[in-house]
Amino acid sequence: MNIVVLDGYTLNPGDLDWSGLQALGELTVYERSSESEIVERAAQADMVLTNKTPLSAQTLEQLPKLRYVGVLATGYNIVDVQAAKERGVVVTNVPAYSTHSVAQLVFALVLEFCHRVQRHSDSVLQGDWAGSVDFSYSVSPLVELNNQTMGLIGLGQIGKQTALIALAMGMKVIATGSGRTVPQPVDGIEWVSLEELLQRADVISLHCPLTPATNELINAERIARMKPSAILINTARGGLLNEADVAQALNEGRLAGAGLDVLTVEPPKPDNPLLHAQNVIITPHIAWATKEARARLMAVASSNARSFVEGRPVNVIG
Ligand SMILES: NC(=O)C1=CN([C@@H]2O[C@H](COP(=O)(O)OP(=O)(O)OC[C@H]3O[C@@H](n4cnc5c(N)ncnc54)[C@H](OP(=O)(O)O)[C@@H]3O)[C@@H](O)[C@H]2O)C=CC1
Ligand SMILES: O=C(O)C(=O)CO
């Protein structure tokens, strides 16, 4: 097997090893590949692994030898899965490897809006507490989550884990799904329509995949239905937001804050309106990237590839 990893650096910056894939054939790992390098690098490959390097229908057409695409992630929106299927190319992803890490970052972002820990610490370390007449002061409003409502859009692996943490913090949890599957009752979680969720939630956290149906799910019209005091959290995919609409709502105080781990274009262009918006916190797509989660990702990506080589593919998309 000729196996090519197009963008291995973020998964393995040097603290993991590729031995699971090496054992399956001749492996070439590129740290990153630009769109113009994909075809040349993957031309002889039977199997390609990609994290965020896109494989469009046009690119797949130019890779006649290709039989397998292993997405090094849960979200697989970078691959034209239908085009792959039509060409007989198996596409797999890695479900659930980062569930706990992503849910943890959701709350790192939420709690930042509640307590502004770094802002307070900076104030103390620059002498404000030492110079204060009071034993306590705050530099921003402080918020308690108990009894507030967490609204989850998407109640899969990460949505459910986020719900458990929210419930442990005394929040009410409401959730909405794709509408394609029958919602299963989950203890402590109330199923509602998207419309109702937007109106009731104090914190809205996105946990659905990016698909044509969810593209720009959060736009000006939907923001208008949210509470102006609401906090929006997006650790799923940047394309779930109309970024200009979210930035404008933040700047006009129609949305109290946004905590984002993902943007439509990554890395972002310097003129992305969210980079300059008020009350925004942005992390560079790190929710998945704990060592623990990356190690699980490497292990499952390798076992996905092995299963394909052995003729019994698992975690197949579509
Ligand atoms: N920032 C990061 O580092 C990471 C980001 N992610 C992103 O998080 C997303 C969710 O991951 P995970 O929870 O593991 O995935 P799951 O597949 O377990 O859950 C996705 C859920 O979204 C639901 N859904 C689909 N369409 C809609 C819709 N239109 N409205 C509401 N819900 C919908 C699905 O419901 P149904 O079954 O009915 O279709 C499903 O329950 C991934 O797709 C990925 O994009 C994942 C890992 C790391
Ligand atoms: O697993 C995912 O979907 C991620 O976004 C991490 O690359």
Side-chain angles (χ1 to χ4, degrees):
M1 285 286 165
N2 183 320
I3 308 169
V4 170
V5 177
L6 288 171
D7 52 357
Y9 181 76
T10 55
L11 166 58
N12 179 13
D15 54 0
L16 300 175
D17 72 72
W18 297 102
S19 56
L21 289 170
Q22 257 149 2
L24 300 175
E26 190 190 324
L27 176 71
T28 308
V29 179
Y30 294 101
E31 296 211 324
R32 42 190 84 77
S33 299
S34 66
E35 284 199 51
S36 61
E37 290 169 327
I38 302 170
V39 171
E40 189 200 327
R41 290 181 169 186
Q44 300 309 316
D46 308 291
M47 303 171 72
V48 160
L49 287 90
T50 170
N51 191 326
K52 294 292 172 285
T53 304
L55 292 173
S56 63
Q58 222 182 6
T59 302
L60 292 168
E61 217 178 271
Q62 297 173 72
L63 301 173
K65 283 198 73 180
L66 189 65
R67 288 288 151 260
Y68 175 88
V69 172
V71 180
L72 296 167
T74 301
Y76 50 85
N77 51 291
I78 49 124
V79 180
D80 189 327
V81 175
Q82 186 55 34
K85 203 172 175 180
E86 283 162 15
R87 305 189 63 79
V89 176
V90 169
V91 183
T92 65
N93 78 334
V94 182
Y97 74 94
S98 64
T99 302
H100 290 275
S101 294
V102 179
Q104 184 175 295
L105 184 76
V106 168
F107 277 88
L109 295 170
V110 173
L111 291 170
E112 180 62 20
F113 286 107
C114 296
H115 291 295
R116 299 284 188 187
V117 170
Q118 188 66 53
R119 210 181 272 181
H120 280 92
S121 176
D122 288 348
S123 162
V124 168
L125 298 182
Q126 76 189 22
D128 295 346
W129 198 10
S132 166
V133 290
D134 296 313
F135 81 94
S136 169
Y137 70 96
S138 60
V139 296
S140 64
L142 302 171
V143 177
E144 185 176 84
L145 290 174
N146 184 46
N147 276 327
Q148 295 220 12
T149 299
M150 167 68 86
L152 300 170
I153 301 183
L155 196 65
Q157 301 284 347
I158 298 169
K160 279 188 194 136
Q161 184 59 29
T162 303
L164 288 179
I165 301 173
L167 290 168
M169 299 192 93
M171 298 184 81
K172 300 184 180 84
V173 179
I174 58 178
T176 196
S178 67
R180 285 186 306 272
T181 51
V182 181
Q184 297 303 306
V186 183
D187 270 359
I189 304 176
E190 183 187 350
W191 281 100
V192 296
S193 65
L194 176 59
E195 188 71 14
E196 186 175 344
L197 183 142
L198 296 173
Q199 287 170 17
R200 282 177 55 192
D202 299 299
V203 180
I204 295 176
S205 193
L206 303 176
H207 299 293
C208 56
L210 177 60
T211 65
T214 61
N215 189 45
E216 298 195 0
L217 181 83
I218 302 298
N219 55 21
E221 193 208 324
R222 294 215 165 98
I223 295 168
R225 294 168 205 285
M226 297 179 194
K227 298 179 184 180
S229 56
I231 301 291
L232 176 67
I233 304 292
N234 188 11
T235 57
R237 283 294 179 268
L240 297 175
L241 310 185
N242 177 312
E243 293 183 330
D245 288 357
V246 173
Q248 193 178 349
L250 288 165
N251 291 334
E252 292 173 2
R254 289 182 289 108
L255 185 60
L260 311 172
D261 185 49
V262 285
L263 293 173
T264 47
V265 176
E266 296 173 348
K269 298 267 187 314
D271 64 352
N272 183 314
L274 287 168
L275 295 176
H276 312 284
Q278 286 174 32
N279 292 317
V280 73
I281 303 167
I282 306 179
T283 49
H285 203 142
I286 55 168
W288 68 295
T290 61
K291 170 98 187 271
E292 293 83 354
R294 286 185 294 105
R296 282 191 292 270
L297 173 48
M298 182 68 95
V300 178
S302 303
S303 71
N304 280 353
R306 176 172 290 282
S307 298
F308 172 77
V309 170
E310 290 172 352
R312 43 171 189 87
V314 294
N315 293 323
V316 176
I317 305 302

